[in-house]
Amino acid sequence: RVIQARKTLEPIRLVLNAPIERAGDSGLSGNRKILGKLDFINVRFTYPGSPSPSLQDINLSIRPGERIGIIGRVGSGKSTLLRLIVRLLNTDEGAIQLDDSDIRQYSPRDIRRQIAYMRQDSNLFDDTLRANLFFGLEQPDQRLVDHALAISGVAHFAAKNAEGFSFRVGPRGERLSGGERQAVGLARAMIGDPKMLLLDEPTASMDNTIERQIINGISPWLNGKTLIVATHRAALLDLVDRIILMQDGRIVADGPKDQVLRNLKAG
Ligand code: ATP
Ligand code: MG
């Protein structure tokens, strides 16, 4: 029994002894309000063990309230760029500034409370639909919640389910369809009422009708917020007015939507 208990304890000890996720390195953290001005200065990033950088020479300036689409071929660096903003990754060279301060001065907690990030792959966990929607959020406003559930389409499919919001979604949400998982991810991002919304292929598994409902529904909600959406879907570009085109880890075009798309067509 002692051996058994030791075996059980070992993973727990690993968790308890793990270092706390990097706090803001300056110690200035703790409820820093984010306005959402974002600057990339000569940013370069290479994944550990990777022979070549996934991002290089990234220079970019984003003003609060802008709506930006990031487009580019598979593997061009779109998702990597978003991960750097929420500090899931740190730059190797160059700097990212948030409201003119180095982003490393903000704790990941401060950042993620105000910058909602919806990953490209599902980040649901094996619990109820309710837990997946609200985990870690402090007292969300009920009106915002209802609105987010309606716009994302979660309200619709939860209503049809006998267990409703108590439905257990399974590991990585595998008891939901791909489109339903994305709806949950989107609702979760909206419920926190973030200053910035980063969406990585939010509608890739959805049909055109639902995608259109989301686009129409979310547009007024985005007022005053910064949107950055990485996507291969043309319809989503209706939400943006600026487009960044990536190629092999570099930005090859950045400007007003019409202009970038026109140049793209012209080759
Ligand atoms: P997609 O359109 O398929 O989503 P993307 O533009 O989002 O592509 P990224 O996921 O940012 O592309 O990947 C950029 C490059 O970095 C690719 O060459 C990819 O192979 C590499 N890469 C991505 N994630 C990792 C990782 N965890 N470890 C090593 N290399 C990675
Ligand atoms: Mg991607």
Side-chain angles (χ1 to χ4, degrees), residues 47 54 73-80 83 120 232:
Y47 283 100
S54 288
R73 307 288 288 269
V74 164
S76 55
K78 304 181 295 295
S79 298
T80 306
R83 289 183 197 123
Q120 186 166 9
H232 295 286

PDB file of all heavy atoms in Angstrom, residues 47 54 73-80 83 120 232, ligand 1:
ATOM      1  N   TYR A  47      11.123  27.910 -32.839  1.00  0.00           N
ATOM      2  CA  TYR A  47      10.694  26.884 -31.885  1.00  0.00           C
ATOM      3  C   TYR A  47      11.913  26.095 -31.426  1.00  0.00           C
ATOM      4  O   TYR A  47      12.822  25.830 -32.232  1.00  0.00           O
ATOM      5  CB  TYR A  47       9.672  25.936 -32.534  1.00  0.00           C
ATOM      6  CG  TYR A  47       8.289  26.542 -32.632  1.00  0.00           C
ATOM      7  CD1 TYR A  47       7.835  27.099 -33.828  1.00  0.00           C
ATOM      8  CD2 TYR A  47       7.436  26.568 -31.535  1.00  0.00           C
ATOM      9  CE1 TYR A  47       6.560  27.658 -33.926  1.00  0.00           C
ATOM     10  CE2 TYR A  47       6.156  27.131 -31.622  1.00  0.00           C
ATOM     11  CZ  TYR A  47       5.737  27.666 -32.812  1.00  0.00           C
ATOM     12  OH  TYR A  47       4.482  28.226 -32.903  1.00  0.00           O
ATOM     13  N   SER A  54      10.519  30.424 -37.210  1.00  0.00           N
ATOM     14  CA  SER A  54       9.139  30.396 -37.691  1.00  0.00           C
ATOM     15  C   SER A  54       8.619  31.800 -37.927  1.00  0.00           C
ATOM     16  O   SER A  54       7.631  31.996 -38.629  1.00  0.00           O
ATOM     17  CB  SER A  54       8.247  29.666 -36.698  1.00  0.00           C
ATOM     18  OG  SER A  54       8.524  28.290 -36.727  1.00  0.00           O
ATOM     19  N   ARG A  73      -0.356  31.169 -46.330  1.00  0.00           N
ATOM     20  CA  ARG A  73      -0.386  29.726 -46.543  1.00  0.00           C
ATOM     21  C   ARG A  73      -0.242  28.964 -45.237  1.00  0.00           C
ATOM     22  O   ARG A  73       0.187  29.515 -44.235  1.00  0.00           O
ATOM     23  CB  ARG A  73       0.772  29.321 -47.478  1.00  0.00           C
ATOM     24  CG  ARG A  73       0.830  30.094 -48.781  1.00  0.00           C
ATOM     25  CD  ARG A  73      -0.283  29.698 -49.718  1.00  0.00           C
ATOM     26  NE  ARG A  73      -0.042  28.368 -50.271  1.00  0.00           N
ATOM     27  CZ  ARG A  73       0.607  28.157 -51.407  1.00  0.00           C
ATOM     28  NH1 ARG A  73       1.081  29.168 -52.124  1.00  0.00           N
ATOM     29  NH2 ARG A  73       0.774  26.941 -51.852  1.00  0.00           N
ATOM     30  N   VAL A  74      -0.554  27.669 -45.303  1.00  0.00           N
ATOM     31  CA  VAL A  74      -0.331  26.760 -44.178  1.00  0.00           C
ATOM     32  C   VAL A  74       1.132  26.857 -43.746  1.00  0.00           C
ATOM     33  O   VAL A  74       2.033  26.816 -44.583  1.00  0.00           O
ATOM     34  CB  VAL A  74      -0.672  25.313 -44.612  1.00  0.00           C
ATOM     35  CG1 VAL A  74      -0.093  24.293 -43.638  1.00  0.00           C
ATOM     36  CG2 VAL A  74      -2.174  25.135 -44.747  1.00  0.00           C
ATOM     37  N   GLY A  75       1.359  27.033 -42.447  1.00  0.00           N
ATOM     38  CA  GLY A  75       2.729  27.056 -41.927  1.00  0.00           C
ATOM     39  C   GLY A  75       3.444  28.386 -42.095  1.00  0.00           C
ATOM     40  O   GLY A  75       4.643  28.480 -41.873  1.00  0.00           O
ATOM     41  N   SER A  76       2.716  29.452 -42.453  1.00  0.00           N
ATOM     42  CA  SER A  76       3.396  30.728 -42.696  1.00  0.00           C
ATOM     43  C   SER A  76       3.675  31.509 -41.405  1.00  0.00           C
ATOM     44  O   SER A  76       4.374  32.513 -41.434  1.00  0.00           O
ATOM     45  CB  SER A  76       2.572  31.584 -43.668  1.00  0.00           C
ATOM     46  OG  SER A  76       1.257  31.764 -43.190  1.00  0.00           O
ATOM     47  N   GLY A  77       3.110  31.064 -40.273  1.00  0.00           N
ATOM     48  CA  GLY A  77       3.450  31.710 -38.999  1.00  0.00           C
ATOM     49  C   GLY A  77       2.305  32.452 -38.328  1.00  0.00           C
ATOM     50  O   GLY A  77       2.510  33.144 -37.330  1.00  0.00           O
ATOM     51  N   LYS A  78       1.094  32.306 -38.827  1.00  0.00           N
ATOM     52  CA  LYS A  78      -0.058  33.035 -38.286  1.00  0.00           C
ATOM     53  C   LYS A  78      -0.304  32.682 -36.814  1.00  0.00           C
ATOM     54  O   LYS A  78      -0.441  33.557 -35.966  1.00  0.00           O
ATOM     55  CB  LYS A  78      -1.318  32.730 -39.125  1.00  0.00           C
ATOM     56  CG  LYS A  78      -1.154  33.027 -40.609  1.00  0.00           C
ATOM     57  CD  LYS A  78      -2.423  32.736 -41.401  1.00  0.00           C
ATOM     58  CE  LYS A  78      -2.829  31.270 -41.429  1.00  0.00           C
ATOM     59  NZ  LYS A  78      -1.867  30.389 -42.144  1.00  0.00           N
ATOM     60  N   SER A  79      -0.374  31.386 -36.545  1.00  0.00           N
ATOM     61  CA  SER A  79      -0.666  30.962 -35.168  1.00  0.00           C
ATOM     62  C   SER A  79       0.477  31.334 -34.232  1.00  0.00           C
ATOM     63  O   SER A  79       0.248  31.734 -33.079  1.00  0.00           O
ATOM     64  CB  SER A  79      -0.884  29.443 -35.103  1.00  0.00           C
ATOM     65  OG  SER A  79      -1.991  29.091 -35.891  1.00  0.00           O
ATOM     66  N   THR A  80       1.698  31.219 -34.721  1.00  0.00           N
ATOM     67  CA  THR A  80       2.860  31.555 -33.896  1.00  0.00           C
ATOM     68  C   THR A  80       2.794  33.025 -33.468  1.00  0.00           C
ATOM     69  O   THR A  80       3.059  33.363 -32.315  1.00  0.00           O
ATOM     70  CB  THR A  80       4.153  31.268 -34.679  1.00  0.00           C
ATOM     71  OG1 THR A  80       4.111  29.909 -35.136  1.00  0.00           O
ATOM     72  CG2 THR A  80       5.376  31.469 -33.825  1.00  0.00           C
ATOM     73  N   ARG A  83       0.341  33.372 -30.671  1.00  0.00           N
ATOM     74  CA  ARG A  83       0.852  32.791 -29.413  1.00  0.00           C
ATOM     75  C   ARG A  83       1.834  33.723 -28.719  1.00  0.00           C
ATOM     76  O   ARG A  83       1.925  33.746 -27.499  1.00  0.00           O
ATOM     77  CB  ARG A  83       1.553  31.456 -29.695  1.00  0.00           C
ATOM     78  CG  ARG A  83       0.596  30.351 -30.078  1.00  0.00           C
ATOM     79  CD  ARG A  83       1.342  29.019 -30.268  1.00  0.00           C
ATOM     80  NE  ARG A  83       0.487  28.105 -31.004  1.00  0.00           N
ATOM     81  CZ  ARG A  83       0.819  27.527 -32.163  1.00  0.00           C
ATOM     82  NH1 ARG A  83       2.024  27.704 -32.679  1.00  0.00           N
ATOM     83  NH2 ARG A  83      -0.038  26.749 -32.782  1.00  0.00           N
ATOM     84  N   GLN A 120      -6.363  27.505 -32.283  1.00  0.00           N
ATOM     85  CA  GLN A 120      -6.789  26.845 -33.522  1.00  0.00           C
ATOM     86  C   GLN A 120      -7.326  25.450 -33.231  1.00  0.00           C
ATOM     87  O   GLN A 120      -8.315  25.018 -33.822  1.00  0.00           O
ATOM     88  CB  GLN A 120      -5.588  26.768 -34.482  1.00  0.00           C
ATOM     89  CG  GLN A 120      -5.929  26.237 -35.853  1.00  0.00           C
ATOM     90  CD  GLN A 120      -4.808  26.496 -36.847  1.00  0.00           C
ATOM     91  OE1 GLN A 120      -3.713  26.917 -36.483  1.00  0.00           O
ATOM     92  NE2 GLN A 120      -5.075  26.249 -38.110  1.00  0.00           N
ATOM     93  N   HIS A 232      -8.141  31.156 -43.052  1.00  0.00           N
ATOM     94  CA  HIS A 232      -8.141  30.837 -44.478  1.00  0.00           C
ATOM     95  C   HIS A 232      -9.517  31.108 -45.087  1.00  0.00           C
ATOM     96  O   HIS A 232      -9.721  30.912 -46.276  1.00  0.00           O
ATOM     97  CB  HIS A 232      -7.812  29.354 -44.695  1.00  0.00           C
ATOM     98  CG  HIS A 232      -6.430  28.959 -44.273  1.00  0.00           C
ATOM     99  ND1 HIS A 232      -5.311  29.304 -44.994  1.00  0.00           N
ATOM    100  CD2 HIS A 232      -5.974  28.253 -43.220  1.00  0.00           C
ATOM    101  CE1 HIS A 232      -4.236  28.812 -44.391  1.00  0.00           C
ATOM    102  NE2 HIS A 232      -4.616  28.178 -43.307  1.00  0.00           N
TER     103      HIS A 232
HETATM  104  P1  ATP B   1      -1.937  27.060 -40.507  1.00  0.00           P
HETATM  105  O1  ATP B   1      -2.537  27.844 -41.618  1.00  0.00           O
HETATM  106  O2  ATP B   1      -1.732  25.629 -40.893  1.00  0.00           O
HETATM  107  O3  ATP B   1      -2.632  27.198 -39.219  1.00  0.00           O
HETATM  108  P2  ATP B   1       0.125  28.854 -39.489  1.00  0.00           P
HETATM  109  O4  ATP B   1       0.341  29.984 -40.430  1.00  0.00           O
HETATM  110  O5  ATP B   1      -0.711  29.100 -38.310  1.00  0.00           O
HETATM  111  O6  ATP B   1      -0.401  27.598 -40.329  1.00  0.00           O
HETATM  112  P3  ATP B   1       2.189  28.180 -37.577  1.00  0.00           P
HETATM  113  O7  ATP B   1       1.427  27.190 -36.786  1.00  0.00           O
HETATM  114  O8  ATP B   1       2.415  29.507 -36.970  1.00  0.00           O
HETATM  115  O9  ATP B   1       1.586  28.350 -39.042  1.00  0.00           O
HETATM  116  O10 ATP B   1       3.586  27.519 -37.916  1.00  0.00           O
HETATM  117  C1  ATP B   1       4.660  28.251 -38.488  1.00  0.00           C
HETATM  118  C2  ATP B   1       5.854  27.329 -38.629  1.00  0.00           C
HETATM  119  O11 ATP B   1       6.295  26.919 -37.329  1.00  0.00           O
HETATM  120  C3  ATP B   1       5.592  26.041 -39.401  1.00  0.00           C
HETATM  121  O12 ATP B   1       6.717  25.782 -40.202  1.00  0.00           O
HETATM  122  C4  ATP B   1       5.443  24.984 -38.335  1.00  0.00           C
HETATM  123  O13 ATP B   1       5.903  23.746 -38.783  1.00  0.00           O
HETATM  124  C5  ATP B   1       6.316  25.506 -37.215  1.00  0.00           C
HETATM  125  N1  ATP B   1       5.770  25.119 -35.915  1.00  0.00           N
HETATM  126  C6  ATP B   1       4.542  25.405 -35.437  1.00  0.00           C
HETATM  127  N2  ATP B   1       4.376  24.951 -34.191  1.00  0.00           N
HETATM  128  C7  ATP B   1       5.536  24.344 -33.861  1.00  0.00           C
HETATM  129  C8  ATP B   1       6.003  23.674 -32.688  1.00  0.00           C
HETATM  130  N3  ATP B   1       5.236  23.554 -31.611  1.00  0.00           N
HETATM  131  N4  ATP B   1       7.261  23.192 -32.712  1.00  0.00           N
HETATM  132  C9  ATP B   1       8.059  23.336 -33.791  1.00  0.00           C
HETATM  133  N5  ATP B   1       7.676  23.963 -34.921  1.00  0.00           N
HETATM  134  C10 ATP B   1       6.433  24.461 -34.962  1.00  0.00           C
END
